[in-house]
Amino acid sequence: SSGINAEWPLRPGPLSIMSHSTYNIQWNEAQNHIKELLEYEAGTDTQKPETDRVSAFQTAAVIYIKYIQVFRKLEECYYQIVHPQKRIVLKHVLDGTMGRLLELKNEMVNLEFSEYHFFDDVLSDMKLTPADIEIPVPRYFTQDNEKDIKDRMKLMAETLAKYRLDETSDKKEEIKMSLEEAIKIIQVHERARQGCLRAKFMREIRAQEEREKMLSLQGASTMDPDVASTIIQKVWKGYSQRNKTLKLREEELIFIGMQPNTDAQVHHKDSPVSKVNKREEERVLIQAQHEREYQDALVNIKEKIREAEGPDIKENMQDQIRQWFIETRDATGKFPDYPSDDEGGSGAIFKTKNGEGGEEGGEEGGKKKGKKGKKKKGEKKEKKKKGKKKGGKDKGAGGGEDDDGFKMVPSMFIPGIEEASMTYEEIWKQRDETENFQQKYDAELIKELKRGEVESEIRVQVDDLMRQELKNLKAALQKDMGKKGGKGSAKKKGGKKKDKKGGKKGKKEKDLTPDRTIESLYEELVKEGILVQFPKVKISDYLGEYSYLGTTLRQANIEPMPSLSDVRRVVTEYGILPMGSQTVHETAPHVKSIMIAGPHGTGKRMLVNALCSELGANLMDLSAENICGKYPGKAGLTMLLHLVMKVGKLLQPTVVYIGNAEKTFVKKVAKNDVTDPKRLKKELPKIIKKMTPEDRIVFVGTSLTPWDADVKSLCQCYQKIVLIPRPDYASRYLLFKELITRHGGRLAPTLDLSSLAKISDGYTPGHVLTAVKHVLTERRIQQLQRKPLTAAEFVTPLARIDPIYKEEEEQFKAFYDKTTMGKKRAQLLKGEEE
């Protein structure tokens, strides 16, 4: 249905010790596929709108998946290519691809009215696996800002140490004990230790006595030595061969991916994985070194160009401008007005001179263009109005087809991708780099870049000189001709321009802390516990398996619950990708706030921590429990929000966390609740509304019982609502497998993970983690060699925990159906049934 080749072979290659040329080839492949995608997208503009919503979604999904594959390739190239000038172009392409991904995500949401999408049928057609469309987080988000992040962490650690030292010492002094009590406790533990040793010693003595008694009863051996040795050989050979066979079977299963490799050598320093990681780290260090050399070269080469070519450039410019003076005087009988700096100075002269029809023709062309432009804008407005009239019924009916059908909105990122791709084609694709084996900067490209900068700087100086010269020439001409005036025309022009620029300015918010440094504001927020530390977690640590039956269930008119993998993808798309790049954030669909709702233990706070870790962001906690008693009164609240937004904007990206987000909009506050949960009810929506795309700040709320809140107010505040379900069978299987391995366990044949995943239905990732930690104690890990793990060991700790029952999950579904997106989805399904 998409019109693009579905069997597009663009699988990201496995991490390996690859050479510079390998990454160049990989970049070239990605660029070729970008070219194919751009050609296809250009063709869709001339095509008729798609009337079938499902076909329109399929088309968008295929393009989306192909952009993900390109994005994976480019991210790996940007992370490992060490050439500083190539990385500049690569970053433009990478940001453009990332932005286009987010635009396509927005298109799919508007088509399906759902935050979650199921691609199992598309993946099957394209012969891809879910791993091939996993969205990676670009490592440059933290790598490029590593120094700033470390400085912030250092300042936070110092502030915490400064203000929390007394608190910790007070806590230690709270535990009081008399000397007699301390001696008694020591005596009890010492006697217990001696008793254990004595019992062990006596057990060994009794065992020795038993062995001696058995030997005395048996008497001397009467077996022939040859027969005895034959029996020993037979038993040993059988044992040895069975072990070899088992080992070969295990190796085969590991090789084909049917069994995990539990060998300690996998993570050994000489293992292939360790070598790859080490090599990648070395390439990152080389990148930094080459970047420093490149930055130094930019300054040095510019100075050399200024010294060597500056005088000639200046002289040529003056000659050309004087020639223009003479030509204009001969043509019009008077000297021209010199363009102001706002108009481009002498640069504007040569642009007009090279244009068709001379100066007057250029002005006329501009006017005509302007009129045409206005006409086009007017036509667009008329079209939009017509579209609204036609599409009004469609929106109200929830998914009915209009006359025009479905067509993708023009992309804001495609022009940037095309420009970066053109730069690649012109400069890097066919460039001979045989002499640049180490992939250092290219001096010729720097000269081309800096020559233009030097010309611009010299042009400013030349403009000042030539304005004075023109003024003198005009004065001399007026004197000769005996005429007055004619001096103020240029000034009047300049004055008018300035008047236009200095129009009405936007209303600026009052700065409540104009005299304070950002360090002091940061320190205050840390001291008050608003700016908090968070554990370093990757989004990939949020474990969850892909849902393979989503499309099948939808075709059977059953609305599927998303998997944990879908939750991870949505948080990446709404929170991490747009916040990581300023360019993308300013142009992509702007997500200001997200609410993550789900049962206890589903990893809501972990997702917030992962969001901060992947971005290297600040985490500010505005939960009702945290701000209770801090900054009291209306003035205090205003100051608190001012500090949060000011520090958040100056040290972006920033994540503002609100735990138990439903309490802010709760219908009725509990009598025993002293936290004043409705404190932010009026101010929070106002602040979120004022945020602009330039502010890389996102508000993230978490909720256990979202149905307690007024749903309308909640949806007005939180732009995106992400619902986390109970883990399905596949996710539970993956959770047990990964968590057992990470906590020192071994996956032996005696451990039936399939049965364990089956009986643990209703348990969340938090519950699974609790059970794994309970079983895998330090002592149990030491016994694994002789006593492998069994599924029965995990049943007891799980039985002590209350699972998430179906009724609670139904409550979350009922809540989501009341949200804006839930209502749109319900209307769409109703329209399809009709």
Side-chain angles (χ1 to χ4, degrees):
S1 62
S2 68
I4 321 179
N5 178 18
E7 297 182 12
W8 191 21
L10 190 62
R11 291 174 184 267
L15 287 174
S16 57
I17 302 174
M18 294 196 271
S19 64
H20 300 309
S21 60
T22 309
Y23 287 110
N24 290 336
I25 292 166
Q26 188 167 305
W27 184 16
N28 185 44
E29 287 174 3
Q31 286 293 158
N32 290 337
H33 291 299
I34 284 174
K35 190 177 178 182
E36 184 183 328
L37 276 168
L38 293 175
E39 285 173 2
Y40 174 75
E41 292 210 65
T44 55
D45 295 339
T46 56
Q47 291 175 3
K48 289 182 180 179
E50 181 61 64
T51 53
D52 182 35
R53 190 183 289 271
V54 176
S55 299
F57 174 78
Q58 292 280 332
T59 303
V62 171
I63 300 171
Y64 170 81
I65 287 169
K66 291 188 180 299
Y67 268 110
I68 288 176
Q69 293 179 278
V70 171
F71 179 64
R72 286 168 65 87
K73 283 270 188 182
L74 291 173
E75 197 281 324
E76 192 179 346
C77 288
Y78 185 75
Y79 180 57
Q80 288 293 286
I81 283 178
V82 297
H83 197 298
Q85 288 151 300
K86 285 181 183 177
R87 295 185 84 241
I88 293 168
V89 181
L90 251 172
K91 191 172 181 182
H92 286 309
V93 186
L94 184 62
D95 282 350
T97 308
M98 186 160 53
R100 185 65 186 133
L101 262 181
L102 298 177
E103 286 180 334
L104 288 165
K105 167 69 179 177
N106 194 50
E107 290 280 350
M108 292 190 295
V109 169
N110 292 335
L111 282 167
E112 285 201 318
F113 296 126
S114 173
E115 309 293 357
Y116 302 102
H117 313 291
F118 303 99
F119 306 115
D120 35 310
D121 56 337
V122 180
L123 292 178
S124 178
D125 293 341
M126 296 176 73
K127 296 179 175 60
L128 296 171
T129 65
D132 295 326
I133 61 163
E134 192 68 38
I135 300 176
V137 176
R139 282 159 278 199
Y140 81 81
F141 286 176
T142 51
Q143 191 179 314
D144 289 2
N145 305 310
E146 195 173 0
K147 189 178 179 298
D148 294 337
I149 294 166
K150 282 182 178 177
D151 290 343
R152 285 208 310 265
M153 293 298 107
K154 188 181 176 183
L155 179 59
M156 179 176 278
E158 287 172 356
T159 309
L160 289 171
K162 182 179 175 183
Y163 290 104
R164 296 188 181 179
L165 187 63
D166 296 332
E167 292 176 25
T168 51
S169 62
D170 290 344
K171 284 178 184 176
K172 286 178 182 176
E173 286 173 12
E174 282 175 11
I175 304 166
K176 292 180 180 179
M177 188 182 291
S178 65
L179 183 63
E180 289 79 11
E181 287 174 334
I183 291 169
K184 192 175 179 181
I185 289 170
I186 292 167
Q187 284 177 341
V188 168
H189 282 276
E190 179 58 24
R191 283 170 186 163
R193 187 186 68 82
Q194 289 180 6
C196 290
L197 288 173
R198 194 177 293 111
K200 187 182 176 184
F201 181 63
M202 291 304 294
R203 190 163 56 247
E204 287 174 358
I205 290 171
R206 288 195 196 98
Q208 182 64 28
E209 287 174 354
E210 286 291 330
R211 281 196 296 272
E212 288 175 0
K213 189 177 178 181
M214 290 294 292
L215 287 170
S216 64
L217 289 171
Q218 285 177 2
S221 177
T222 55
M223 188 180 286
D224 183 44
D226 292 338
V227 175
S229 62
T230 304
I231 291 168
I232 291 167
Q233 285 175 0
K234 183 179 73 173
V235 172
W236 168 251
K237 284 178 180 178
Y239 172 77
S240 177
Q241 190 57 47
R242 280 193 296 274
N243 278 351
K244 283 179 182 177
T245 307
L246 281 171
K247 194 173 180 182
L248 287 169
R249 180 177 170 75
E250 278 181 17
E251 285 175 358
E252 185 182 357
L253 290 171
I254 290 166
F255 178 73
I256 61 175
M258 294 293 289
Q259 185 174 313
N261 193 351
T262 56
D263 192 357
Q265 291 296 318
V266 174
H267 303 292
H268 193 264
K269 64 179 181 180
D270 293 328
S271 69
V273 175
S274 299
K275 284 179 179 177
V276 168
N277 293 335
K278 188 179 177 183
R279 182 62 183 147
E280 284 183 352
E281 288 167 8
E282 286 173 4
R283 289 182 77 97
V284 170
L285 292 173
I286 294 167
Q287 269 180 15
Q289 184 186 336
H290 286 192
E291 183 63 30
R292 285 193 296 272
E293 290 173 3
Y294 173 64
Q295 293 300 332
D296 292 340
L298 288 175
V299 177
N300 297 334
I301 291 174
K302 186 177 179 180
E303 287 302 317
K304 286 177 183 176
I305 291 171
R306 186 183 279 110
E307 290 170 11
E309 302 178 21
D312 293 338
I313 293 170
K314 187 176 181 180
E315 192 177 332
N316 288 337
M317 280 183 185
Q318 288 175 324
D319 291 343
Q320 288 174 344
I321 293 166
R322 288 190 186 108
Q323 183 66 28
W324 176 65
F325 290 167
I326 295 161
E327 287 174 2
T328 309
R329 189 199 61 185
D330 292 344
T332 62
K334 63 177 182 178
F335 286 110
D337 296 327
Y338 206 95
S340 66
D341 290 333
D342 294 334
E343 292 169 333
S346 57
I349 298 166
F350 302 112
K351 278 182 188 174
T352 310
K353 203 172 181 182
N354 294 332
E356 288 180 8
E359 193 172 352
E360 288 176 10
E363 284 174 7
E364 283 173 15
K367 285 175 186 175
K368 283 178 186 176
K369 241 184 188 178
K371 285 176 185 177
K372 280 182 184 177
K374 283 178 185 176
K375 267 190 179 181
K376 281 181 183 175
K377 280 184 182 176
E379 283 171 11
K380 279 184 183 177
K381 281 182 182 176
E382 282 174 19
K383 280 181 185 177
K384 278 185 182 177
K385 283 179 185 176
K386 283 179 185 176
K388 280 182 183 176
K389 284 176 186 176
K390 285 180 183 177
K393 288 180 183 177
D394 173 44
K395 284 183 181 177
E401 293 174 14
D402 60 14
D403 296 336
D404 293 327
F406 306 101
K407 197 166 185 179
M408 283 193 277
V409 177
S411 172
M412 301 293 288
F413 289 94
I414 283 179
I417 297 172
E418 287 174 341
E419 187 184 339
S421 299
M422 189 67 72
T423 306
Y424 170 77
E425 293 284 337
E426 291 173 358
I427 298 173
W428 296 111
K429 189 172 184 179
Q430 303 296 336
R431 200 171 192 83
D432 182 15
E433 293 189 282
T434 50
E435 300 298 322
N436 190 11
F437 179 75
Q438 292 184 334
Q439 291 290 285
K440 294 191 175 184
Y441 65 85
D442 192 315
E444 289 303 316
L445 290 175
I446 295 176
K447 284 177 184 175
E448 288 174 22
L449 174 71
K450 292 299 171 184
R451 193 172 282 114
E453 288 183 16
V454 170
E455 283 180 7
S456 300
E457 290 171 9
I458 291 171
R459 190 179 297 282
V460 174
Q461 298 170 12
V462 169
D463 285 350
D464 291 337
L465 292 171
M466 297 313 291
R467 278 194 188 96
Q468 188 60 44
E469 190 173 314
L470 180 62
K471 190 178 178 182
N472 297 336
L473 286 169
K474 282 183 176 180
L477 183 65
Q478 285 166 5
K479 193 176 179 181
D480 291 341
M481 295 176 72
K483 290 182 180 179
K484 293 180 181 179
K487 283 185 180 182
S489 59
K491 285 182 182 177
K492 281 178 186 176
K493 266 192 177 181
K496 279 180 185 176
K497 286 273 173 185
K498 283 179 185 175
D499 287 341
K500 280 182 185 177
K501 277 199 165 182
K504 286 184 180 179
K505 290 184 179 179
K507 198 176 179 182
K508 205 173 181 182
E509 287 184 23
K510 188 181 178 183
D511 189 356
L512 302 177
T513 53
D515 303 325
R516 292 182 61 183
T517 62
I518 187 65
E519 288 79 9
S520 70
L521 298 176
Y522 188 91
E523 193 173 314
E524 182 181 330
L525 288 173
V526 173
K527 179 187 171 185
E528 294 294 335
I530 305 298
L531 225 162
V532 295
Q533 286 182 314
F534 52 88
K536 296 289 184 290
V537 184
K538 289 185 177 179
I539 192 70
S540 56
D541 293 334
Y542 188 79
L543 301 170
E545 191 55 89
Y546 186 79
S547 176
Y548 293 92
L549 293 173
T551 307
T552 309
L553 289 170
R554 277 190 172 172
Q555 286 170 353
N557 294 323
I558 301 168
E559 191 61 23
M561 285 297 282
S563 69
L564 298 184
S565 171
D566 296 321
V567 173
R568 183 174 65 235
R569 177 185 292 277
V570 167
V571 172
T572 304
E573 290 168 329
Y574 287 153
I576 298 175
L577 294 186
M579 287 279 288
S581 168
Q582 186 69 37
T583 310
V584 174
H585 194 265
E586 287 176 6
T587 317
H590 190 195
V591 178
K592 300 177 182 180
S593 54
I594 307 165
M595 193 186 82
I596 304 170
H600 179 73
T602 46
K604 298 181 289 296
R605 185 60 195 263
M606 182 186 176
L607 286 169
V608 176
N609 293 335
L611 188 61
C612 297
S613 300
E614 296 285 15
L615 294 168
N618 302 298
L619 178 61
M620 299 194 188
D621 189 353
L622 288 185
S623 305
E625 297 84 356
N626 191 49
I627 62 172
C628 179
K630 298 171 184 176
Y631 297 93
K634 191 175 179 180
L637 182 61
T638 306
M639 176 58 76
L640 169 63
L641 296 174
H642 165 74
L643 291 174
V644 167
M645 295 307 291
K646 184 174 180 179
V647 173
K649 288 175 183 178
L650 291 172
L651 299 176
Q652 54 189 359
T654 298
V655 175
V656 182
Y657 167 68
I658 302 169
N660 297 320
E662 78 284 351
K663 287 186 177 180
T664 309
F665 305 98
V666 73
K667 295 165 189 172
K668 191 177 179 182
V669 180
K671 290 180 181 179
N672 58 348
D673 193 345
V674 294
T675 59
D676 190 14
K678 287 192 171 185
R679 193 179 176 194
L680 293 172
K681 184 178 180 180
K682 290 182 180 178
E683 299 299 326
L684 194 61
K686 289 178 186 175
I687 288 173
I688 292 171
K689 193 177 179 180
K690 285 179 186 176
M691 284 163 56
T692 63
E694 287 76 26
D695 305 328
R696 280 195 294 156
I697 301 173
V698 64
F699 282 76
V700 182
T702 60
S703 177
L704 273 169
T705 55
W707 49 83
D708 288 342
D710 177 49
V711 179
K712 188 179 178 182
S713 302
L714 199 69
C715 292
Q716 283 174 351
C717 183
Y718 293 100
Q719 196 176 342
K720 301 289 180 182
I721 295 176
V722 179
L723 201 65
I724 308 181
R726 301 182 302 167
D728 54 11
Y729 167 82
S731 293
R732 293 195 302 275
Y733 185 94
L734 179 67
L735 280 164
F736 274 111
K737 179 182 168 184
E738 289 295 325
L739 291 175
I740 287 169
T741 309
R742 289 182 188 184
H743 286 81
R746 288 188 182 182
L747 303 176
T750 54
L751 181 60
D752 188 357
L753 285 178
S754 181
S755 299
L756 195 57
K758 191 74 177 171
I759 63 168
S760 59
D761 187 17
Y763 289 98
T764 63
H767 296 155
V768 174
L769 180 62
T770 304
V772 169
K773 283 182 176 178
H774 186 273
V775 173
L776 289 171
T777 58
E778 193 176 335
R779 187 182 176 191
R780 185 66 185 89
I781 291 168
Q782 290 172 354
Q783 296 172 345
L784 288 175
Q785 194 67 36
R786 54 187 177 81
K787 188 184 174 185
L789 286 169
T790 60
E793 293 180 71
F794 296 92
V795 175
T796 306
L798 282 173
R800 294 186 187 131
I801 305 168
D802 289 330
I804 305 302
Y805 295 105
K806 196 77 176 171
E807 291 77 16
E808 188 174 344
E809 190 172 49
E810 291 300 324
Q811 274 187 300
F812 279 101
K813 281 185 181 178
F815 156 75
Y816 193 76
D817 289 341
K818 293 176 185 176
T819 62
T820 310
M821 189 65 73
K823 286 177 182 176
K824 287 181 179 179
R825 179 72 188 163
Q827 286 177 346
L828 175 65
L829 294 173
K830 190 179 177 182
E832 285 177 356
E833 284 174 9
E834 289 172 1

